[in-house]
Amino acid sequence: MRQINMKLRVSCDLRFQIEAPTALILMLRPLNGAQQKITSSRYIVEPCVQITESKDNYGNFCQRLVAPPGEFSVQTSFEVITGEYIDSAPGAYFVEIQNLPDRVLPYLLPSRYCESDRFGNLAREITADAPPGYDQAGKITDWVRNTIQYIPGSSDYPLSAVEVHNRGYGVCRDLAQLAITLCRSISIPARLAVGYLYRLEPMDLHAWFEAYIGGRWYSFDPTQNDLRGGRVIIAYGRDAADVSIFHQFGQGCILNNMDVQVNLLDKSR
């Protein structure tokens, strides 16, 4: 089937109340690569301050600035071409550890919110009848979707996989991190993806995960019954600690409002 491309306009506007000069590290510029192409961008801060942009260890764009006291806003808008459908590959093979690229190895290890060293027995139980590789990741995704209730807005801060498993519900980030943890516990590299999803309800920034199988990354989403496209990736990381859209340093910064929009502009083959 020939891929259908979607041209989306995505935006995220943040409004802060700043009590004292506050250093911020933002992560709001989508990645530009094989999966998506940025055709236009708008990035405005009011009042105007100097912004320094760099890339982190995972290739994400980071914007650094110092916000002055008073009302402070960040308004971003990007037009992005991405696919309407997501690649899937049932039966794709498990990559032996010794054959993994060096850049993939960090996604095998336990991390702050993904305690993969504590979930091996459960992961093996979930995937007992699945061949190694893509089908195991699919089994894990289905198990998380059917076991952990997806409740948007139910977590104000990141929870670990252990906490999400014990609680039984969470936001998209929580479900993705539990699935990542289960994949890593059976030696499938997995990473968190954060970005936009067309027709997400309710609209917000979204999180899902990717697993390295068959020599490449494949997307999985435990919050959606159908793995649909229309995704725009802002950042990848080991877990939520690596992909927060903003980090504030100090206590003089309050986020008053965040508005996220994803609109379809065009479709083409």
Side-chain angles (χ1 to χ4, degrees), residues 30-159:
L31 301 175
N32 200 4
Q35 292 181 313
Q36 58 194 36
K37 180 180 179 181
I38 301 172
T39 59
S40 71
S41 63
R42 180 178 70 104
Y43 201 120
I44 300 172
V45 296
E46 294 181 348
C48 183
V49 298
Q50 182 177 357
I51 301 175
T52 303
E53 186 165 77
S54 61
K55 281 191 174 183
D56 66 11
N57 293 335
Y58 306 98
N60 306 314
F61 291 107
C62 301
Q63 302 87 47
R64 297 175 58 184
L65 58 87
V66 177
E71 294 184 357
F72 184 75
S73 67
V74 182
Q75 302 171 53
T76 68
S77 178
F78 303 91
E79 292 184 6
V80 185
I81 296 174
T82 186
E84 184 175 19
Y85 302 103
I86 292 289
D87 289 344
S88 61
Y93 64 91
F94 171 82
V95 180
E96 298 289 342
I97 307 303
Q98 63 270 26
N99 296 326
L100 288 171
D102 291 344
R103 68 183 184 278
V104 175
L105 294 177
Y107 301 108
L108 273 177
L109 304 176
S111 56
R112 179 176 178 181
Y113 297 111
C114 297
E115 310 100 323
S116 52
D117 51 342
R118 301 180 63 179
F119 281 86
N121 290 338
L122 177 58
R124 285 186 286 271
E125 178 183 331
I126 293 169
T127 62
D129 60 348
Y134 190 96
D135 292 7
Q136 289 179 314
K139 283 279 190 179
I140 286 170
T141 302
D142 292 342
W143 182 88
V144 173
R145 181 183 301 116
N146 295 327
T147 305
I148 307 298
Q149 189 176 4
Y150 171 45
I151 305 179
S154 60
S155 296
D156 293 329
Y157 51 85
L159 300 173

Side-chain angles (χ1 to χ4, degrees), residues 140-201:
I140 286 170
T141 302
D142 292 342
W143 182 88
V144 173
R145 181 183 301 116
N146 295 327
T147 305
I148 307 298
Q149 189 176 4
Y150 171 45
I151 305 179
S154 60
S155 296
D156 293 329
Y157 51 85
L159 300 173
S160 74
V162 169
E163 292 172 318
V164 174
H165 182 242
N166 291 339
R167 193 167 76 159
Y169 66 90
V171 298
C172 55
R173 173 192 62 224
D174 302 326
L175 273 67
Q177 289 186 152
L178 178 55
I180 287 169
T181 303
L182 290 162
C183 285
R184 289 181 191 168
S185 70
I186 53 172
S187 299
I188 296 176
R191 64 185 182 183
L192 187 65
V194 169
Y196 301 90
L197 174 59
Y198 178 55
R199 294 188 300 177
L200 178 67
E201 292 293 341

